[in-house]
Structure formats: structure tokens, C-alpha cells
Amino acid sequence: MLRRVGLAKRVLTTNRHYSTRFGYAHSRCLVFSDFGQPEKVLKWVASPPLCMNPIEGVYPEKPEFTLELGTGGKSAVPGNEGLVEIVSCGSKVNPSIRPGQWAIMSGPNFGTWRTYAQAREANLIMIPDKEGISPVQAATISVNPSTAYRMLNDFAGLEPGDYFVQNAANSGVGRSAIQIGRLWGLKSINIVRDRPGIQKLKEELRSLGGTEVITEAEAKDRRSMAKMTGGQPVKLALNCVGGESATNLARILGQNGHLVTYGAMSKLPFSVPASALIFKNIHCHGFWISAWSKGNEAVKSQMIIDILGWIRDGKFRDIPYEITKWSEATGLETLMEPVKRGISEYSGRKGIFLMEDD
Ligand SMILES: NC(=O)c1ccc[n+]([C@@H]2O[C@H](COP(=O)([O-])OP(=O)(O)OC[C@H]3O[C@@H](n4cnc5c(N)ncnc54)[C@H](OP(=O)(O)O)[C@@H]3O)[C@@H](O)[C@H]2O)c1
């Protein structure tokens, strides 16, 4: 699964007044009217008005299908995440918000796969200073880096020098966790699946700040794991995979450790050994950034400022990504290309739509 990130060039911030300098905003968007395989349900509309999971309908929080997009039947625009540029504000909008400023979405289901949108202030988090930040960096901050930040900060009371362990360490969230961990003085054990060229991947993740990078098979060797940490307990485990990999994380955790599940890439359930629960007092949690974001708006804004600061100071590296340019002339075929690729294979790169003027 590959999440697509929409990068809307423009957004309007109120429903009171939304004309641009041309008198109106003409938006092109991808829409869907039913949940299902993205390549089957996505349609192309040009009217006033890349995570695949919301389109597949597998997230509990679903977008609302509406007639407001001017489509024949009810439909919704996909795209949870992205960066927008303000083009126009209504008279009642906070005067500190001005055209030219950047903003990201405050919650899920904004519908970023479109060239223009109309939004309320509450739907956006303003980027206070875009100096030194690329549009792609800002567009990809609110899910993966934010998830990693919260999981490292909120569950195990980690202190500098403490160990955490994670599987799928080469994922977007995993790469963020490695870097935030390094910035906070944490030591990380990073587990990845074996592959041709594994040494190159190991070196890359170490260069981000990973203390140890090992394969799933190496992570099962209890003796070498204990040697690796010098007997220090591992206090937190981040589980993106499930199945056997997650069970092994529970085994690696030390006394009173915390296992936080945020993904299920293998689509397999997992078991936690009774001994880990009874004798080691392991705590199991789930984390979902969308649910956390509700009611934590102020904390989220501060977290975004922290992450932007690291990016600006060159302390936080981009995730690997590939861009599909989207202008007025772009056809459905071109836009569906990365969507189809994202479903059939994991390329190791995030797909990003970049809206451009013709
Ligand atoms: N709960 C939340 O709030 C939250 C927030 C962000 C993301 N997520 C979830 O976290 C997961 C990762 O997201 P991401 O954007 O970081 O992912 P990503 O960058 O697309 O990376 C996907 C990762 O999953 C691994 N993977 C793929 N198929 C696998 C399988 N069958 N078994 C084991 N590993 C597999 C890949 O490893 P290989 O290189 O070995 O294929 C890669 O490390 C997704 O499920 C996403 O929905 C959850």
C-alpha cells in the first residue's frame, strides 16, 4: 500500500467569499462515488468543485459523499494529506491569514486530490514560516513524522539513552522515528525485511541515525539482541507489520515495555506470549494519528512547528518520493498511473501529486 499525498496549489479559506482575481475558481479533481479498488471507482471531473485506504473504505473514518461537487451522483474527493496555498480569504477570516501563505490539513478526509478547494479555518493548520521548507516537505509532515513523534513521546516515558525497537523501519513512519529518536538522544533497533541490496538499505538507515539495523531473521536471535543493547532493556516497540514480526517485538521488549501498533502491513493478526504479559508486564496499545488529532489541535500545531524547525535546520531528511505533475492539461490516464502502481507494488517511494499552473 502506498499513500498518495495531494499537494493542492490553492485553497480558499471560507464559504463567504471565494472568488479569485479571475472572478471564480475552476477546480479539477478526481472523485469517487463508492468504496472499492481505486482504479475502478475513481472518476475524473472538471467542475467547481495518494492514501488508497480511504478510497477502499477500510478506515473507520470515511469521507462524506456529497452533491456539492457538481457530479451527477453523490461523490467525494480522495486525499487526506497535502499542502495548500491560500489564494483568497473571506471577510470574516482571521486577518493573520493571507493569500500566499501555506497550510496543511488539521484532520483527515479534506480531499486534497484537486486543484482548488474551499475550506474553513478549522480545517487548516497554517505553516507559520515557509522559509527553508520545500512544498513536498510541508505536504508530508502531518501523518508520518507526526505519528512517529507521538509514539516516541507519548507511551513509554523514554529518556535520552533509552532503546526502542521497530519493524518496517524503512517505511515513512520508520524513517521519521529513526530521525526523531536520534534528535532526542534515543537508541533504535531497526528491523527490515531481507532483500537483495540489504547492506545498502542498512547503511542508509544508519546514516539517518539508526543505532542498529537488522533483518527480521537477525531479530529472532535473542543472544545477539541482548549483546546489541548491552543488556539494557528495550522500553518501546513500534509495530507497523503484525503477524510473527509483531510477536517478536513483544519478545524483544524488556520489563514493563510498551508495544504500540500503528499499522498492519502483513494483514496478519498477532499473538503476544502470555509470559510477556504476566512476567514482563508488557503493555499493548494502538495509535491512530487521525483520532489523536481531534482535541489535540494546539499540541499538533506545536509539534508541526518542532518538525518544521528540524527540517529548516537540515536535521530531518525527506522521505524518498516520486512526483506526478498535475496541470490543467493533465489527463486521467497520467493521474491514474501512480495510483495503479501504488496498489500493485511498494516502490519504496511516496507518490505525490504536484499541482501546477499551465
Ligand atoms: N496509525 C497511524 O496513525 C498511521 C500513521 C501513518 C501510517 N500508518 C500506517 O503505517 C503503515 C506504514 O505507512 P508508511 O506510509 O510509513 O508506509 P510506507 O512508507 O509505504 O512503507 C511501507 C512499509 O511496509 C513494509 N511492508 C509492506 N508490505 C509488507 C508485508 N507484507 N510484510 C511486512 N512489511 C511490509 C515495507 O517494507 P518492505 O520494504 O520490506 O516492502 C515498508 O517498510 C501503513 O499501514 C499506514 O497505513 C498509520
Side-chain angles (χ1 to χ4, degrees), residues 82-86 96-98 100-105 124-135 137-142 301 304-305 307-309 311-312:
L83 172 74
V84 296
E85 183 184 292
I86 311 292
S96 69
I97 301 178
R98 290 182 304 278
Q101 287 178 329
W102 286 357
I104 57 173
M105 291 69 238
L124 300 171
I125 296 176
M126 300 306 296
I127 302 286
D129 175 11
K130 59 188 186 189
E131 186 71 35
I133 310 290
S134 75
Q137 288 166 330
T140 52
I141 210 172
S142 65
S301 294
I304 298 294
I305 290 170
I307 302 169
L308 287 172
I311 294 173
R312 202 172 281 120

Side-chain angles (χ1 to χ4, degrees), residues 1-3 53 59 143-144 147 168-174 193 195 240-241 262-266 287-290 346 350:
M1 195 220 54
L2 176 63
R3 187 179 10 266
N53 287 165
Y59 278 159
V143 177
N144 285 348
T147 300
N170 60 325
S171 66
V173 176
R193 292 197 290 183
R195 72 201 65 214
C240 174
V241 175
Y262 68 96
M265 290 306 297
S266 71
F287 179 76
W288 189 28
I289 191 75
S290 301
Y346 170 59
K350 289 276 166 213

